[in-house]
Amino acid sequence: MRETREELEELQALLDASLSRSTSHLRSIITAERTLTAEQLTGVLTGMRTLALSTVTAKGEPRISGADGHFLHGKWHFGTARGAAKARHLAARPAASVAHMRDEDLGVFTHGTVEILNPAGGEPAADWPYLLAYFKDFYGDDAFDWNEEVVYYRLHPHWMSVYAPDLAKLTD
């Protein structure tokens, strides 16, 4: 777990606020007994997690694709090739949704806006050196041309919900 106490509190506030303003149908599914706290969630979402990433085309059509997701400091981080369709979509329309599901044991659903962490020809995010070191350690230093080939994003969530009916199944 890499989150600070402040990041955990911010994530917990987001989880609580998101659920409180959700529909009664969703609140009948995601109850206090079938969700995780911020601290539990960050303990479960370690390493790489496959995300279903939803973007929108210029014509307003939804597109879904897969992405390697890393949940760091209470936010999803993911990357793609700079020339990928999803990179073009996110450059023009930074709103995105991601879902991570693990069978019937875990569902993490997030809506927000992306920040480009390493823009081509632009100033990288202040924490990009730390994140780049993490990604290189995970994928290997020579996995990509890290400056030219890949673009990384941080999803700043405005809504997030977690369905987890049995914490014990997630920590086996």
Side-chain angles (χ1 to χ4, degrees):
M1 188 168 77
R2 300 171 189 276
E3 288 72 20
T4 65
R5 177 60 37 205
E6 181 179 294
E7 290 167 337
L8 287 172
E9 289 171 2
E10 182 180 312
L11 179 58
Q12 188 63 56
L14 174 69
L15 293 170
D16 294 343
S18 298
L19 192 56
S20 73
R21 65 181 190 261
S22 295
T23 65
S24 59
H25 172 71
L26 185 62
R27 287 193 315 272
S28 74
I29 297 167
I30 300 177
T31 63
E33 298 79 29
R34 290 189 231 139
T35 194
L36 300 176
T37 65
E39 191 163 350
Q40 290 168 327
L41 181 62
T42 58
V44 168
L45 294 179
T46 59
M48 191 279 289
R49 301 296 175 173
T50 303
L51 297 178
L53 168 64
S54 180
T55 60
V56 179
T57 69
K59 293 180 180 179
E61 298 170 334
R63 294 293 183 263
I64 193 162
S65 60
D68 288 3
H70 299 265
F71 200 71
L72 305 167
H73 300 283
K75 293 179 174 64
W76 285 111
H77 296 72
F78 58 90
T80 191
R82 287 195 187 273
K86 62 185 138 200
R88 289 192 310 275
H89 298 166
L90 292 171
R93 292 162 300 283
S97 295
V98 300
H100 167 66
M101 292 172 279
R102 183 173 134 186
D103 299 322
E104 295 179 355
D105 301 327
L106 178 65
V108 182
F109 308 95
T110 310
H111 308 301
T113 305
V114 297
E115 166 192 9
I116 299 173
L117 298 172
N118 60 334
E123 187 68 28
D127 60 345
W128 177 241
Y130 158 80
L131 293 167
L132 181 58
Y134 168 87
F135 293 130
K136 283 183 174 183
D137 184 55
F138 186 84
Y139 293 106
D141 191 41
D142 59 352
F144 308 104
D145 177 342
W146 292 95
N147 294 320
E148 301 297 325
E149 190 176 339
V150 294
V151 57
Y152 270 86
Y153 304 90
R154 176 177 14 243
L155 182 62
H156 292 278
H158 59 74
W159 188 91
M160 181 185 287
S161 65
V162 180
Y163 175 74
D166 187 354
L167 178 60
K169 287 185 177 180
L170 299 174
T171 57
D172 292 344

